[in-house]
Amino acid sequence: MIYSIVKFGDPVLEKPAQPVTQFDDSLKTLVADMFESMYAAHGVGLAAPQIGISLRLAVIDITFKEDPKAKLVLANPEIIEVEGRHRQSEGCLSIPEFREDVTRAKYVTVRAQGIDGKWYEKTGEDLLARAFLHETDHLNGKLYISHISALKRDLMKRKIRKLVKAGEW
Ligand code: NI
């Protein structure tokens, strides 16, 4: 099932999500649906709050279907180590059509549970590091625009308000 993506302005995106506690068949279905929804939206990462489900769950595939082994499920993720700096343009499926440069750590180690509930650790570099931080932020009710300047953020919010008024958001 393909979920529609919740857009900026919906309160579910700005509240901390609840821990995943049940690693059962319904979680497997949800994860499969999240991958499907992410690919349909042309994204490389998706957090459950973005489909209106306030759970600490995210999926990532920075290869966009190229490498099945690159598909990652992150339940209850925690960032345990960050190193270096890397500045790159960043976007979010919940804030479509906008992108801004964001400085993030270059290397990020995350600790998370997989679909079977087993804990694992993984270190990502550049785009993967960015995805770990971006998706974990989502689960804490935080969007990437909190990492850009207030000036740029206000400008973006003003443009979004216009789109809302025009019925285009
Ligand atoms: Ni996002």
Side-chain angles (χ1 to χ4, degrees):
M1 164 183 173
I2 294 174
Y3 286 88
S4 55
I5 309 288
V6 168
K7 286 183 185 168
F8 173 72
D10 190 310
V12 73
L13 293 175
E14 292 178 79
K15 69 172 188 189
Q18 296 301 308
V20 177
T21 54
Q22 306 272 26
F23 292 85
D24 54 10
D25 282 350
S26 69
L27 186 75
K28 286 191 178 77
T29 304
L30 177 59
V31 162
D33 288 346
M34 284 175 66
F35 274 112
E36 206 183 333
S37 306
M38 177 184 82
Y39 293 135
H42 304 285
V44 293
L46 183 73
Q50 293 183 277
I51 54 166
I53 297 172
S54 197
L55 261 187
R56 300 187 72 80
L57 178 68
V59 297
I60 293 173
D61 177 4
I62 59 160
T63 73
F64 198 80
K65 302 187 206 176
E66 282 283 303
D67 179 4
K69 291 194 294 292
K71 288 174 77 173
L72 296 174
V73 176
L74 294 87
N76 304 319
E78 298 158 26
I79 303 299
I80 55 174
E81 212 177 326
V82 296
E83 204 189 314
R85 281 157 73 86
H86 185 237
R87 190 166 177 81
Q88 199 174 50
S89 164
E90 190 166 325
C92 178
L93 293 176
S94 293
I95 314 175
E97 311 296 326
F98 290 90
R99 293 192 78 80
E100 283 294 340
D101 279 0
V102 180
T103 301
R104 300 264 200 186
K106 184 171 175 65
Y107 301 95
V108 173
T109 303
V110 73
R111 181 174 180 267
Q113 283 169 284
I115 197 156
D116 50 4
K118 255 191 224 153
W119 287 95
Y120 68 93
E121 280 183 26
K122 194 170 173 69
T123 301
E125 183 180 351
D126 295 343
L127 181 57
L128 185 56
R130 186 170 295 274
F132 286 159
L133 294 171
H134 182 115
E135 301 312 331
T136 304
D137 270 358
H138 268 302
L139 307 181
N140 295 324
K142 206 168 162 186
L143 297 166
Y144 82 90
I145 57 170
S146 64
H147 299 290
I148 66 175
S149 74
L151 196 70
K152 282 185 178 166
R153 187 166 53 245
D154 288 345
L155 188 64
M156 198 189 275
K157 285 183 177 175
R158 212 175 309 148
K159 287 181 183 165
I160 291 171
R161 273 200 294 275
K162 273 189 194 159
L163 289 170
V164 171
K165 258 187 205 161
E168 289 165 14
W169 190 252

